[in-house]
């Protein structure tokens, strides 16, 4: 397995320009992980000026670890068909953008849990949209992974797939698509499911894992990894029993600054 890390605790500072992507990658590299993750929110546009600056900053910082995953937030369950088309086009642009920066994977979402949305219809909408972006992903060499997500700051509503039944409905419908699953350990607990059993149901489609923790059930409440409710021994037993050898990305959201990042990597090293 390879280890990467997503700095949720620093999203606000990176978005505000107080920490650059290169500075973040340099810290991750110093910790000895194999790669680093970012959010698409860190890249406000796809102009040549910005892309060239980001590449130059990375080169000057001596970054040699792999740009691993970019987290995106498409709303593919939107009730407006035209808006779903717009979300598809937005994501295609993002795929081209992140491939230019060398990222290998892109985390995609089902979309928001819009009022009155049933499980079958929601799963149908998002998988239909997934199928319309896979050609672009393959063209640019980016692997798409769908997550059992909760609620990002990018949306006003909770994710459709936070409901484990909805997540499994989508997982079933992507069996024949070149789309994998990014299994989030904390969201699996926060939604009220048995995380180990949920992982067992989808393990054959799991390409990547978000190592994440929560202190509550019912909603995701970030806490230092290893201090919450996630059964990491059980999770990694399923992964190892199924010979999982992909990427594990720490989703560090404790709010404990650089120490939180460092402690999370130290904890993850017990397993990866």
């Amino acid at each position: 397995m390879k280890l990467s890390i997503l700095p949720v605790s620093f999203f606000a500072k990176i978005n505000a320009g107080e920490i650059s992507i290169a500075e973040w990658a340099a810290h991750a590299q110093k910790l000895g992980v194999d790669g680093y993750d970012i959010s698409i929110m860190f890249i406000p546009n796809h102009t040549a000026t910005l892309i060239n600056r980001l590449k130059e900053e990375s080169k000057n910082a001596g970054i040699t670890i792999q740009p691993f995953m970019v987290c995106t937030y498409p709303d593919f369950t939107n009730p407006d068909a035209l808006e779903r088309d717009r979300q598809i086009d937005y994501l295609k642009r993002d795929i081209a953008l992140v491939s230019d920066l060398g990222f290998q994977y892109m985390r995609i979402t089902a979309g928001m849990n819009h009022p009155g949305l049933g499980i079958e219809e929601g799963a149908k909408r998002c998988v239909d949209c997934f199928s319309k972006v896979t050609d672009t992903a393959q063209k640019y060499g980016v692997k798409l992974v769908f997550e059992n997500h909760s609620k990002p700051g990018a949306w006003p509503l909770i994710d459709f797939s936070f409901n484990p039944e909805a997540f499994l409905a989508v997982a079933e419908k992507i069996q024949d698509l070149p789309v994998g699953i990014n299994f989030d350990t904390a969201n699996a607990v926060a939604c009220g499911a048995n995380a180990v059993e949920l992982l067992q149901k989808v393990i054959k489609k799991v390409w990547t894992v978000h190592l994440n923790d929560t202190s509550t059930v019912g909603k995701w409440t970030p806490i230092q990894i290893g201090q919450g409710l996630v059964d990491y021994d059980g999770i990694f037993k399923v992964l190892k029993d199924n010979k999982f050898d992909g990427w594990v990305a720490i989703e560090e959201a404790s709010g404990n600054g650089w120490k939180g990042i460092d402690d999370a990597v130290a904890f993850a090293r017990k397993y990866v």
Side-chain angles (χ1 to χ4, degrees):
M1 287 183 255
K2 293 183 178 180
L3 188 64
S4 186
I5 185 164
L6 176 70
V8 179
S9 291
F10 288 131
F11 271 23
K13 288 187 176 182
I14 297 175
N15 286 336
E18 297 175 27
I19 299 173
S20 70
I21 293 175
E23 287 171 330
W24 157 240
H27 187 83
Q29 182 164 293
K30 184 177 71 173
L31 293 174
V33 296
D34 304 291
Y36 67 96
D37 297 18
I38 66 170
S39 166
I40 196 64
M41 293 188 293
F42 299 173
I43 312 173
N45 61 66
H46 61 291
T47 61
T49 299
L50 176 60
I51 293 173
N52 290 337
R53 176 170 63 80
L54 293 176
K55 290 178 179 178
E56 190 66 21
E57 288 175 349
S58 178
K59 179 181 178 181
N60 291 341
I63 305 304
T64 58
I65 59 173
Q66 176 65 48
F68 167 51
M69 185 188 293
V70 178
C71 289
T72 62
Y73 316 88
D75 181 23
F76 288 152
T77 54
N78 196 287
D80 185 337
L82 182 61
E83 180 57 30
R84 293 198 298 275
D85 285 345
R86 184 177 289 115
Q87 294 289 313
I88 288 168
D89 289 339
Y90 286 163
L91 192 69
K92 286 181 177 180
R93 186 207 68 170
D94 290 341
I95 290 168
L97 170 62
V98 304
S99 73
D100 199 3
L101 295 172
F103 285 88
Q104 294 182 327
Y105 285 78
M106 175 179 281
R107 192 284 308 277
I108 57 176
T109 50
M112 289 185 275
N113 189 29
H114 294 276
L117 180 61
I119 289 176
E120 183 60 28
E121 177 60 23
K124 180 180 180 299
R125 287 178 190 172
C126 78
V127 175
D128 178 64
C129 292
F130 287 178
S131 69
K132 293 176 181 176
V133 298
T134 54
D135 284 351
T136 301
Q138 291 179 319
K139 175 182 177 180
Y140 288 106
V142 174
K143 296 178 182 179
L144 303 178
V145 284
F146 155 67
E147 182 181 317
N148 53 319
H149 197 226
S150 54
K151 183 190 176 299
W155 294 345
L157 301 176
I158 199 165
D159 196 301
F160 167 75
S161 61
F162 187 60
N163 178 339
E165 292 182 14
F167 168 62
L168 291 173
V170 176
E172 178 62 30
K173 289 181 181 295
I174 64 171
Q175 291 303 307
D176 296 327
L177 285 180
V179 175
I181 287 174
N182 179 60
F183 189 84
D184 187 292
T185 59
N187 291 336
V189 172
C191 72
N194 180 306
V196 173
E197 292 179 0
L198 189 62
L199 176 58
Q200 288 172 326
K201 290 178 180 179
V202 298
I203 184 62
K204 300 304 181 185
K205 229 357 179 167
V206 172
W207 293 358
T208 59
V209 174
H210 261 179
L211 204 63
N212 193 2
D213 217 334
T214 180
S215 63
T216 61
V217 174
K219 69 174 183 177
W220 173 50
T221 304
I223 191 171
Q224 187 71 43
I225 289 176
Q227 296 181 9
L229 302 176
V230 173
D231 175 9
Y232 292 104
D233 289 345
I235 292 291
F236 277 92
K237 184 178 188 306
V238 174
L239 293 175
K240 290 177 181 177
D241 285 350
N242 286 274
K243 297 179 172 57
F244 175 82
D245 194 33
W247 283 83
V248 174
I250 300 166
E251 185 170 352
E252 205 297 306
S254 68
N256 292 331
W258 293 112
K259 185 178 186 303
I261 299 282
D262 298 353
D263 289 349
V265 170
F267 177 81
R269 285 302 186 195
K270 299 176 184 179
Y271 300 97
V272 182

